[in-house]
Amino acid sequence: EELTCRDCLMCKKHTSKKCPLGSFVDATEYMFPIVDSYWYQMKHSGRPYKHEGSPLFVDINNDGVLDYFNSMHGHKLDENGYDRMELAESVPKSFMKDNINVKKNNPYNLQRLRHVS
């Protein structure tokens, strides 16, 4: 749903039908492509679960592009103490070292996340 100027808290003009300051693009399917089954396992970011904190976007590999860290503290430890965090680097959509072929066109020119944890 688009914001209208009368809904905008950031400007007082209220002259436009569409607020030029407010927008939201759900990039989940581009950042966590469905063909990469890692993200859609239980207790991972591609599936709903109880979050106790938000993910952090930081440049972990110093390439100038934000990468992804999620502490995953919203669920119990498994029997081995694993699955307590996710760490992913941003890679171009055409990155093929992990054998993930993303065929869908990405209208926002976003990179995707490749898990490294």
Side-chain angles (χ1 to χ4, degrees):
E1 181 178 336
E2 288 183 353
L3 295 175
T4 63
C5 261
R6 70 179 178 283
D7 300 318
C8 184
L9 302 173
M10 301 305 290
C11 98
K12 298 188 186 305
K13 293 182 182 178
H14 304 291
T15 58
S16 170
K17 289 185 178 182
K18 180 180 177 185
C19 178
L21 302 175
S23 64
F24 174 79
V25 174
D26 184 354
T28 306
E29 68 180 306
Y30 306 112
M31 300 304 288
F32 303 111
I34 291 175
V35 293
D36 186 351
S37 61
Y38 172 85
W39 298 111
Y40 296 92
Q41 300 173 65
M42 290 303 292
K43 302 190 283 185
H44 287 277
S45 291
R47 297 184 67 125
Y49 75 95
K50 178 184 171 189
H51 289 267
E52 289 184 5
S54 61
L56 300 173
F57 294 89
V58 294
D59 186 4
I60 59 173
N61 56 3
N62 205 26
D63 66 354
V65 179
L66 293 178
D67 302 302
Y68 180 82
F69 172 76
N70 188 344
S71 64
M72 306 292 286
H73 288 162
H75 55 78
K76 297 178 183 177
L77 288 171
D78 68 11
E79 63 276 2
N80 301 308
Y82 301 144
D83 291 337
R84 288 298 285 174
M85 63 162 252
E86 289 179 325
L87 187 63
E89 63 181 333
S90 288
V91 294
K93 297 172 294 215
S94 60
F95 182 86
M96 290 297 294
K97 279 187 183 177
D98 53 0
N99 295 318
I100 303 296
N101 185 8
V102 180
K103 295 178 181 176
K104 188 174 215 169
N105 288 335
N106 181 335
Y108 307 106
N109 200 28
L110 297 171
Q111 298 204 155
R112 69 177 177 87
L113 292 169
R114 176 183 175 265
H115 69 275
V116 294
S117 61

